[in-house]
Structure formats: C-alpha cells, structure tokens
Amino acid sequence: MKDINFADVEFVSSFSKAPLRLPLFQFAFAGRSNVGKSSLINTMLERKIAKTSKKPGKTRLINVYKIGNICYLVDLPGYGYANISKKMQNEWKELVEDYLKFSNLLKKVFILIDMRRDVRNQEKELFFWLNYHHISFDIVLTKCDKLNRKEYSIQLKKFESLNIPFFITSSKTKQGIKELKNYIEKLVFN
Ligand SMILES: Nc1nc2c(ncn2[C@@H]2O[C@H](COP(=O)(O)OP(=O)(O)O)[C@@H](O)[C@H]2O)c(=O)[nH]1
Ligand SMILES: [Mg+2]
C-alpha cells in the first residue's frame, strides 16, 4: 500500500458555492461549531492550516485542502450556532446539502461529535439524511482527553449502541489521529 504524506498539503480555496467537480477523492468533515473540526484537521496535517474563526457562525464557506495529488479534505461549515437566523440556517443547509449530494468522488463524511456530549437531534437528522441519500459516513469523537475513565466508559457504551463506526480522537494528545489517517489511506488506495 502506498502512503499519503499528510504534510504535503495545499489550501485550495474557500467556496461559497458547493465545489462539485473536484478531480480527486474527497473526505468531508462535518460537525457543530466548536466541536474541534479545525483542530482535528490541523493535527492530521501537522500544521495550522485550517482557519479558526474567532467569530463562529459568520463564515458559511467550504474550505478545501489538497493532500499531495491524492485526495482532498473538505472542511464543511459548522452547524448548531445558537443565534443564527433562519435565513443563514437555510443557506448552510443548501450549501452543505448541495455539496454532499452532488459532489463528484466524495468518499466519506466524518461527523464530529464532542465525546462528552450526547447525540442530539441535529446529528440524528444528519445520519438519517445521509442514509437516505446513500452517502457513507462515520463518527469521529473529539476531545476524548477531557473525559475521566468513568465518563469515557459511559460515553463509549452510548456511542457503541448507535451501531455507526466511530473513531475516538483528541487533537491534544493525538489519540486516534494515526488510525484516522490510516483509514483514509485505506479508502483511497483500495
Ligand atoms: N482538550 C481539547 N480541546 C480541544 C480539542 N480539539 C479542539 N479543542 C478546543 O476546542 C475549541 C474549538 O476548537 P476548533 O477546532 O476551533 O473547533 P471548530 O469550531 O469545530 O473548528 C478550541 O478552543 C480548541 O482548542 C481536543 O482534542 N482536546
Ligand atoms: Mg473551525
């Protein structure tokens, strides 16, 4: 099996319209704001390339990073902001749903969930919607360093009961990062 050099990364662009014709496999990252999406991408790529916005909810853009000449990581705008208008919610939906439904060569969607939290309606709706459209997804649990052993085992059981494959990660301790990268490699080259 070939290797992907995740450090060989290039920022492609921020898209306000769904990029549907990217010529290589894509891995998309979705999740509510503050879940640790930018941190995860930066940790995987071993540099601070993913933009972190000080004003969450302001950017409705899809950020795309190209790894070597092999694949793309697609950073989808976060959902679940408390104070955003219906209009902005609809814009988010249209942009993200357009991309997920119609993008060429989308290999996998990773849905990030803070491991301390429970699965909420927004995630459940997203699971349902992705299944309905036959779009393949897994869960990536973030911030696993923030749980003590007891909390960890309680949450682990909860997520196991969903019957959706999941990774357990921390951008702080780098737990699970190698596994996630190996998995992406496997999906690209198989
Ligand atoms: N302890 C810990 N904090 C994290 C982790 N990942 C992200 N954070 C923190 O969570 C906050 C939101 O992270 P960010 O990556 O900007 O989230 P995004 O809005 O989903 O892109 C920041 O303060 C990060 O430092 C993690 O794995 N462990
Ligand atoms: Mg971010």
Side-chain angles (χ1 to χ4, degrees):
M1 192 170 84
K2 286 205 289 180
D3 285 340
I4 299 178
N5 179 8
F6 283 88
D8 179 13
V9 59
E10 182 190 315
F11 174 64
V12 177
S13 192
S14 293
F15 295 88
S16 56
K17 289 224 171 69
L20 303 180
R21 293 280 167 267
L22 297 170
L24 301 166
F25 284 139
Q26 293 136 55
F27 298 87
F29 294 78
R32 96 188 20 252
S33 67
N34 228 34
V35 70
K37 215 149 46 74
S38 302
S39 304
L40 181 80
I41 290 171
N42 285 335
T43 305
M44 287 174 66
L45 302 179
E46 291 163 36
R47 54 189 274 196
K48 288 211 160 65
I49 191 165
K51 292 173 182 164
T52 49
S53 171
K54 286 266 180 328
K55 276 195 176 163
K58 289 285 180 230
T59 40
R60 316 275 78 189
L61 298 171
I62 294 180
N63 292 312
V64 177
Y65 306 92
K66 186 163 111 178
I67 301 177
N69 216 4
I70 294 174
C71 64
Y72 298 96
L73 301 190
V74 176
D75 186 2
L76 298 173
Y79 54 86
Y81 302 109
N83 300 312
I84 76 163
S85 65
K86 251 295 175 281
K87 184 168 169 277
M88 264 176 86
Q89 274 179 43
N90 289 336
E91 279 170 15
W92 177 87
K93 243 182 129 136
E94 197 178 301
L95 177 62
V96 172
E97 291 187 353
D98 256 9
Y99 171 73
L100 294 174
K101 266 202 282 193
F102 303 121
S103 67
N104 201 18
L105 302 173
L106 174 63
K107 259 287 189 206
K108 184 71 80 179
V109 181
F110 295 112
I111 301 174
L112 275 62
I113 300 174
D114 187 323
M115 191 172 177
R116 296 168 296 174
R117 310 270 175 257
D118 289 328
V119 176
R120 289 186 262 188
N121 281 342
Q122 257 155 326
E123 278 91 28
K124 287 181 187 158
E125 280 167 23
L126 191 54
F127 301 158
F128 182 86
W129 188 89
L130 290 166
N131 278 326
Y132 180 80
H133 291 284
H134 306 288
I135 300 166
S136 175
F137 66 95
D138 298 318
I139 291 173
V140 174
L141 300 175
T142 62
K143 308 191 188 185
C144 74
D145 60 280
K146 293 214 177 203
L147 292 82
N148 65 33
R149 275 172 63 181
K150 187 168 172 224
E151 292 161 342
Y152 191 99
S153 78
I154 290 171
Q155 290 303 90
L156 188 61
K157 284 208 185 76
K158 275 191 197 162
F159 285 105
E160 278 168 353
S161 72
L162 292 174
N163 289 317
I164 300 170
F166 61 89
F167 291 85
I168 300 177
T169 70
S170 164
S171 296
K172 199 173 169 187
T173 66
K174 295 193 165 58
Q175 181 177 328
I177 301 296
K178 201 178 267 169
E179 287 80 357
L180 192 56
K181 296 200 307 195
N182 288 344
Y183 181 67
I184 288 174
E185 269 178 352
K186 214 176 74 190
L187 290 174
V188 165
F189 293 120
N190 275 352

